[in-house]
Amino acid sequence: AVVRLTAVLAATNNDSMREQVCRALAQIAISDEGKSACVQTGAAVKFLAVLAATKHNGARQQACEALSSMAVSERGRSACIKAGAVGHLNTVLAVTKNDNVRQDACVALARIAHSIEGKSVCIKARVVVQLNTVLTATKDEGVREQACVALSSIAVSSGGRSACIKAGVVGHLTTVLVATKDDNVRQHACVVLARIAHSMEGRSVCVKAGAVVRLTAVLAATNNDSMR
């Protein structure tokens, strides 16, 4: 089925068809066998072709979801990286105002950034800058949460922490902590801040940005033990 579906995806210009084919492949790629089949047939290239060819939000969203399904595995991440997924996903984040597309693009980037190579490619592609922009451009809590998850994946490395600091992520995260009442968003924002604060420079930036005040206010206000 994967071979036939990717062939249909390559041949069609119909956005509804693209959406449904990507949806089917995203579901198939949840399994290990499905991921392997998608890697072997070069499905990532076809998903990226959809992202480049259409402005249809449904097709874009399902293409992002399919990439994120593939990127759960090491082979899938590698295939996505080699196909140029990071650049395409970053471009989608820059041009779309649809929160469903934004959320699934962030999920895909977060999974790609689980690998050392993925982090490096994300840093070079200035993904952090775009994720930071998304944090301020949306009020959708799902998008905010997944943008924070992606940032936390990147910020595991010293280069990722440096990129976050240069992009002004700390200031935006402290703003998000005040603006949101969603515990999932707050929790992931705290994870990013914690990772940035692993460096001396990061700690200094956090203090100057008022992160300590915001974090202590969150601590005082929450009854959520995971948040604490």
Side-chain angles (χ1 to χ4, degrees):
V2 173
V3 174
R4 301 294 172 82
L5 287 167
T6 52
V8 170
L9 194 58
T12 187
N13 292 318
N14 183 302
D15 283 328
S16 295
M17 177 68 73
R18 286 167 169 160
E19 179 179 359
Q20 295 310 318
V21 173
C22 287
R23 188 191 304 275
L25 287 167
Q27 290 301 308
I28 291 170
I30 289 173
S31 71
D32 290 341
E33 186 179 7
K35 287 180 184 65
S36 179
C38 284
V39 170
Q40 289 173 5
T41 57
V45 174
K46 307 297 191 301
F47 301 144
L48 296 178
V50 171
L51 291 180
T54 185
K55 294 181 180 180
H56 186 274
N57 288 323
R60 278 176 168 173
Q61 181 187 359
Q62 293 306 319
C64 289
E65 188 169 338
L67 288 165
S68 69
S69 291
M70 284 186 65
V72 171
S73 73
E74 185 177 347
R75 284 188 68 205
R77 282 193 293 274
S78 180
C80 289
I81 292 166
K82 288 177 181 176
V86 171
H88 281 82
L89 290 165
N90 205 35
T91 298
V92 167
L93 283 179
V95 300
T96 187
K97 293 184 180 180
N98 182 278
D99 282 327
N100 291 326
V101 177
R102 283 170 170 164
Q103 184 169 340
D104 283 314
C106 287
V107 172
L109 286 166
R111 290 177 177 174
I112 289 170
H114 275 298
S115 70
I116 293 172
E117 183 185 10
K119 288 179 183 62
S120 176
V121 173
C122 284
I123 293 166
K124 290 176 183 176
R126 294 174 58 80
V127 169
V128 170
V129 174
Q130 199 56 55
L131 291 170
N132 197 33
T133 300
V134 168
L135 279 178
T136 59
T138 185
K139 293 183 180 179
D140 184 278
E141 302 293 20
V143 178
R144 283 173 169 171
E145 179 184 356
Q146 294 305 322
C148 287
V149 171
L151 286 167
S152 68
S153 291
I154 295 169
V156 170
S157 71
S158 60
R161 288 192 288 275
S162 178
C164 286
I165 292 166
K166 289 178 182 177
V169 168
V170 173
H172 285 141
L173 288 172
T174 57
T175 300
V176 167
L177 284 174
V178 173
T180 186
K181 294 183 179 179
D182 187 290
D183 276 350
N184 290 325
V185 176
R186 284 175 170 167
Q187 187 168 339
H188 287 295
C190 288
V191 171
V192 183
L193 287 169
R195 289 180 175 173
I196 291 172
H198 274 292
S199 71
M200 185 178 297
E201 182 186 10
R203 289 190 285 275
S204 175
V205 171
C206 285
V207 171
K208 291 176 182 176
V212 174
V213 173
R214 301 293 170 84
L215 287 167
T216 52
V218 169
L219 191 59
T222 188
N223 292 317
N224 184 314
D225 283 333
S226 295
M227 175 69 69
R228 288 169 169 162

